[in-house]
Amino acid sequence: MENKLTLFKVIAGGPLKVTGPFRIKGRDGKIIEKEEPVLLCRCGHSSNKPFCDGSHKRNAFSE
Ligand code: FES
């Protein structure tokens, strides 16, 4: 992975948008490595955690 800055942007009432290279270690211990923009769930309602699946829209998430 190239060494460049990663941008984390909070989307009001929605997910955290991550742009740039990063790795996430899931509960199962698997490492997910991404470079393209992804949306991470902040509301806790996604059925595809850690990624946003749009469920925040149906659950009145406002932070
Ligand atoms: S922020 Fe979108 S499903 Fe949780």
Side-chain angles (χ1 to χ4, degrees):
M1 223 183 252
E2 183 181 317
N3 187 16
K4 58 184 178 181
L5 292 177
T6 300
L7 175 65
F8 295 81
K9 180 180 178 186
V10 174
I11 298 175
L16 181 69
K17 182 178 182 180
V18 183
T19 305
F22 68 96
R23 293 180 186 141
I24 296 175
K25 186 174 187 178
R27 290 191 323 187
D28 59 2
K30 285 186 180 174
I31 301 290
I32 301 169
E33 192 168 307
K34 298 276 189 181
E35 286 207 32
E36 71 271 20
V38 296
L39 301 173
L40 300 178
C41 178
R42 292 193 311 127
C43 75
H45 294 286
S46 175
S47 60
N48 188 31
K49 292 181 187 79
F51 302 104
C52 171
D53 69 355
S55 294
H56 60 274
K57 296 173 189 168
R58 294 184 298 278
N59 291 286
F61 182 66
S62 61
E63 290 185 32

